[in-house]
Amino acid sequence: MAETKTIALTINGRDRKVAAPANATLLETLRELGYFEVKSGCEKGDCGACAVLVDGEAIDSCLALTWTVAGRAVTTVAGLSLGGAKHPLIEAFEKSGAVQCGYCTPGLIVAAQSMLKDTPEPDDDDIRLGLSGNLCRCTGYTKVFDAVRDAAAVLRGAESQA
Amino acid sequence: MYADFDLVIPETLDEALEALAGAVGGGNGGTQPLAGGTNMIVDLRARRVAPSRLVGLGRLDGLRGIRIADGRVRMGARTTMSDILRHPDLAGHAPSLVDQARVFGGQMVRNAATVAGNICSGSPAADAVPALLALDAEVTLASPSGTRVVPLSEFFLGYKRDARAPGELMTEIAWDIPPAHSSNRFYKLALRKGDAITVVGVAVALAAEDGKCGTARIALGAVAPIVKRATAAEAMLCGQALTPELIDAAARQAVDDVDPIDDIRASAEYRRHCVHALTRRLVTQAWERLT
């Protein structure tokens, strides 16, 4: 049996102490703790449904062992906000109708956020590159691209006002 | 996860080397290093590997990063594909390496996957390897008894077999900045443009001297048990002014340097065809940039 130990990390801005076995993935741990917005898909790093931010950078939580994120800041889509308000990416996905069944949406938004951090003014190739690890079988991506473009503009506006 | 193993996460390189000492290099069972996890966790889940203990390298920040100084590029083993894309100067002299990072997995995989992890996976389809082979990269292997430097061209011994002794850890990948009059290119042929496993990967690096091709490197991925150089084709180009006829002949020679298989992604015959076409195309493009 794999050893279990308690690690400290931050989840969505909240300091947590979490008991997890050595072989637990971050995906398994997050869902055990009730963060059901983090979805399990292919469990191979192809679909991106399980994406979360670790220190601001998106990773597939199915490919990370929980112990390896000790001391780091994990953010799920539910932890994204801007100055306490609804995050522009979430707003834009709703407005653009970039959501159908919704299973891929948390991962898409997390991946988009990670991409926009490096590339605040993305062209379509940048968006394609940023979302290349997220599969969506409903939307055909067109409205997803619309949403990311809109949110990028809103985020740039918020940045210039700050 | 069903797989059962111990996990240690050392704070220093010395602790990591101690923990890995006596590990089984590359194969199954024993102690194995864990970096980005984008291969290891998938293999664990599929029960392709069954280590009893993993040594997580995530806290060894000294192994991550790219330093360019004194005519040499030194890349820490834990440098990620995204680190390569973000680096401001790498695209200038190693566009082949940057191009492979752009088509490497999806964003989340690029954020986690490390260069040494890609090399040590031993996959003939590992995308960083053709570019690094064509750049004449060397790798540093460390153990508690010291370090040694091995040319990447001598690192791969066979399918998923490499030169690491049990317990040795790859700590650095380094190469000389290519000379001013040189050009390197990489192309990945796959079934999709994003997040796909390579059907044929080709990296080419040329350096010109007095209007002739001084050195030539052609490295081919996913067409043999290991990523390998087409040395006979390279030799045809060296010392010559490159003409379309010569480039075509060398590209045909490159087909004789490989040994592809039929698999789920493509037939061996198609792969041979693409080795010819892509080698000709990349050598032509690289040469055009030099003349």
Side-chain angles (χ1 to χ4, degrees):
Chain A
M1 277 288 286
E3 181 196 351
T4 291
K5 76 175 180 188
T6 300
I7 61 155
L9 74 167
T10 305
I11 306 177
N12 291 345
R14 200 173 137 212
D15 290 334
R16 309 252 343 209
K17 287 202 167 35
V18 174
N23 63 358
T25 63
L26 181 58
L27 169 64
E28 290 165 344
T29 299
L30 288 170
R31 290 189 60 89
E32 292 244 324
L33 293 170
Y35 295 92
F36 296 126
E37 67 274 26
V38 185
K39 305 299 184 191
S40 174
C42 69
E43 298 201 323
K44 288 180 182 176
D46 286 329
C47 79
C50 67
V52 298
L53 301 176
V54 173
D55 292 343
E57 203 171 42
I59 61 160
D60 290 319
S61 61
C62 74
L63 299 181
L65 296 178
T66 302
W67 289 9
T68 66
V69 298
R72 305 179 73 179
V74 174
T75 307
T76 74
V77 70
L80 286 180
S81 69
L82 190 72
K86 188 184 278 188
H87 192 276
L89 271 166
I90 299 173
E91 187 91 47
F93 268 66
E94 290 174 4
K95 263 195 196 153
S96 305
V99 176
Q100 191 171 322
C101 88
Y103 202 83
C104 70
T105 313
L108 272 169
I109 290 176
V110 161
Q113 169 64 18
S114 181
M115 182 268 295
L116 290 174
K117 177 174 64 72
D118 283 343
T119 318
E121 288 188 62
D123 61 24
D124 281 3
D125 273 348
D126 294 324
I127 299 176
R128 214 167 274 126
L129 189 66
L131 302 184
S132 52
N134 297 83
L135 297 181
C136 171
R137 300 295 82 172
C138 303
T139 64
Y141 302 98
T142 302
K143 292 176 178 181
V144 172
F145 274 55
D146 291 345
V148 174
R149 275 188 225 104
D150 289 353
V154 172
L155 283 163
R156 285 198 300 275
E159 186 72 19
S160 62
Q161 279 170 20
Chain B
M1 196 175 10
Y2 305 115
D4 195 3
F5 49 82
D6 294 330
L7 174 63
V8 292
I9 302 177
E11 298 288 334
T12 68
L13 177 59
D14 284 346
E15 285 172 29
L17 295 178
E18 278 308 321
L20 286 163
V24 177
N28 218 326
T31 298
Q32 290 189 28
L34 171 71
T38 56
N39 283 321
M40 177 61 82
I41 305 297
V42 177
D43 284 346
L44 281 169
R45 212 173 254 129
R47 303 176 193 224
R48 283 190 288 267
V49 296
S52 58
R53 188 168 67 147
L54 292 175
V55 179
L57 307 175
R59 302 192 74 83
L60 306 181
D61 290 337
L63 291 188
R64 184 170 176 185
I66 301 163
R67 291 166 294 278
I68 304 178
D70 304 324
R72 200 147 166 91
V73 182
R74 297 172 60 205
M75 185 173 277
R78 281 189 56 235
T79 301
T80 67
M81 296 301 159
S82 293
D83 292 338
I84 289 173
L85 288 178
R86 283 192 203 104
H87 195 277
D89 302 325
L90 217 45
H93 40 76
S96 55
L97 193 63
V98 175
D99 284 350
Q100 70 79 28
R102 282 182 72 85
V103 291
F104 190 104
Q107 187 206 166
M108 282 70 77
V109 168
R110 292 192 296 273
N111 286 344
T114 66
V115 176
N118 190 237
I119 296 170
C120 293
S121 74
S123 168
D127 284 326
V129 176
L132 289 168
L133 268 179
L135 289 165
D136 280 335
E138 299 174 319
V139 297
T140 302
L141 305 177
S143 69
S145 53
T147 64
R148 63 189 177 116
V149 175
V150 177
L152 188 58
S153 57
E154 295 169 19
F155 181 73
F156 299 105
L157 305 179
Y159 180 68
K160 302 218 170 189
R161 286 194 303 118
D162 61 56
R164 281 175 298 165
E168 268 189 319
L169 180 70
M170 187 178 291
T171 54
E172 188 176 90
I173 300 96
W175 63 93
D176 288 340
I177 293 178
H181 221 54
S182 67
S183 171
N184 58 82
R185 322 274 302 172
F186 172 79
Y187 188 83
K188 167 174 174 162
L189 178 73
L191 302 187
R192 297 181 301 278
K193 286 196 174 157
D195 201 8
I197 294 176
T198 299
V199 170
V200 176
V202 181
V204 165
L206 301 181
E209 280 169 27
D210 304 327
K212 291 182 174 163
C213 177
T215 58
R217 295 285 181 268
I218 300 167
L220 302 166
V223 287
I226 60 173
V227 183
K228 61 184 293 194
R229 293 217 341 241
T231 47
E234 293 172 359
M236 291 173 68
L237 302 175
C238 287
Q240 306 292 322
L242 301 193
T243 61
E245 294 72 27
L246 179 58
I247 292 172
D248 187 64
R252 283 189 191 287
Q253 176 61 48
V255 177
D256 288 336
D257 287 341
V258 300
D259 184 21
I261 57 168
D262 294 315
D263 70 8
I264 188 171
R265 283 173 284 279
S267 67
E269 186 186 1
Y270 179 67
R271 284 187 161 98
R272 276 191 287 269
H273 174 78
C274 292
V275 165
H276 172 238
L278 293 172
T279 302
R280 184 178 58 192
R281 184 186 304 170
L282 265 71
V283 172
T284 303
Q285 287 174 357
W287 184 246
E288 276 172 357
R289 291 176 70 91
L290 294 175
T291 49

